[in-house]
Amino acid sequence: MTLKIHIDDSAPPYEQVRAQISEQARSGVLPVGHRLPTVRGLAQALGLAANTVAKAYRALEADGVIETRGRNGTFVAAAGSAAEREAAAAAQTYAERARRLGLDEDAALAAARDALRAAYEA
């Protein structure tokens, strides 16, 4: 994720952060499920106050662009309905778990396909 803050810009810094993350999520530069830096981490990287980044994150969350998962962090949310967003979050959790278990992509996809077949054929 690359963000640039222009101090001489008429838009306030929080709006620049909000707009750039929103655009990168919309365009796919930041894929669904991508973990964003912490508020403090991004603030430090950009030379901004933590409250400035927190304000941008709150606006992005209100717009449905990002979602905060408690202590797990902040992630790019799936576009679409609540059901689609929840399914994308579950898929992301599954992908992370499969990787931690040492499954390669083919094995993880096969397990997901088997589970889907079982659920939809029941």
Side-chain angles (χ1 to χ4, degrees), residues 11-90:
Y14 86 89
E15 176 58 25
Q16 292 179 51
V17 171
R18 188 210 59 78
Q20 290 178 49
I21 291 175
S22 182
E23 172 58 27
Q24 289 181 27
R26 187 194 61 72
S27 69
V29 171
L30 294 176
V32 170
H34 177 81
R35 186 177 185 160
L36 296 174
T38 64
V39 167
R40 286 187 182 142
L42 185 57
Q44 184 176 16
L46 296 174
L48 297 172
N51 285 341
T52 300
V53 173
K55 186 175 182 178
Y57 275 22
R58 283 191 303 272
L60 287 162
E61 191 160 24
D63 292 344
V65 175
I66 64 172
E67 59 188 4
T68 301
R69 301 180 194 162
R71 293 185 166 269
N72 292 324
T74 302
F75 299 84
V76 174
S81 72
E84 290 168 335
R85 287 193 302 273
E86 189 172 334

